[in-house]
Amino acid sequence: MNSLEFDRETDRMARAIMTRNSQIGSALIADLTTKLTLEYIAAVLVVSIERVMWFEPDSIIWAVENLIPVDIMQEIHRITSFTLYKQWVKKGYVPGKDLSVDVSGNVLLNNSLKKAA
């Protein structure tokens, strides 16, 4: 998938989320599953959610509760947890001391990092 196709899919998904129509959103997700891996679908949804956040934040809550399948939510969680972990390490936090990851992929923070985050 090139950047133009990615942008087109995120735009379609953002508009579907803003309509709060489960049939439209489910149809788009079903279409994406025929063309993309779970990781790419999760990425499309993350960017779509970021776009919707600026215009209709309540639609994001609706999408999480009514539209996004569990497997895609788990992939979004995995992607965002890993990204946050990398950013904190770049900021100088020490893996194993300040933060770590449990077997489920959840990022665990020590008390000082929790206060800073």
Side-chain angles (χ1 to χ4, degrees):
M1 170 177 275
N2 64 37
S3 61
L4 179 61
E5 292 168 330
F6 183 83
D7 189 56
R8 187 178 316 126
E9 296 299 339
T10 56
D11 184 51
R12 289 174 60 200
M13 186 56 64
R15 285 185 278 134
I17 291 170
M18 287 190 285
T19 66
R20 296 187 196 184
N21 184 314
S22 296
Q23 291 176 323
I24 293 170
S26 295
L28 283 174
I29 290 173
D31 180 57
L32 290 175
T33 59
T34 65
K35 301 186 284 190
L36 303 173
T37 65
L38 188 62
E39 185 176 22
Y40 272 105
I41 297 168
V44 166
L45 278 158
V46 167
V47 174
S48 300
I49 287 169
E50 190 272 334
R51 289 180 180 181
V52 172
M53 182 173 27
W54 295 103
F55 304 108
E56 291 188 35
D58 291 340
S59 292
I60 296 168
I61 296 166
W62 173 85
V64 169
E65 292 175 347
N66 300 291
L67 180 65
I68 303 172
V70 173
D71 59 339
I72 296 174
M73 281 302 295
Q74 290 171 339
E75 185 64 18
I76 289 170
H77 181 264
R78 187 191 68 74
I79 291 168
T80 55
S81 294
F82 182 69
T83 302
L84 286 172
Y85 187 90
K86 287 186 348 184
Q87 287 180 356
W88 282 324
V89 169
K90 284 182 183 178
K91 288 183 178 183
Y93 293 102
V94 180
K97 178 183 174 195
D98 298 314
L99 66 155
S100 59
V101 178
D102 67 12
V103 291
S104 300
N106 297 314
V107 176
L108 307 172
L109 310 175
N110 71 10
N111 289 332
S112 64
L113 186 53
K114 282 181 188 177
K115 290 175 186 175

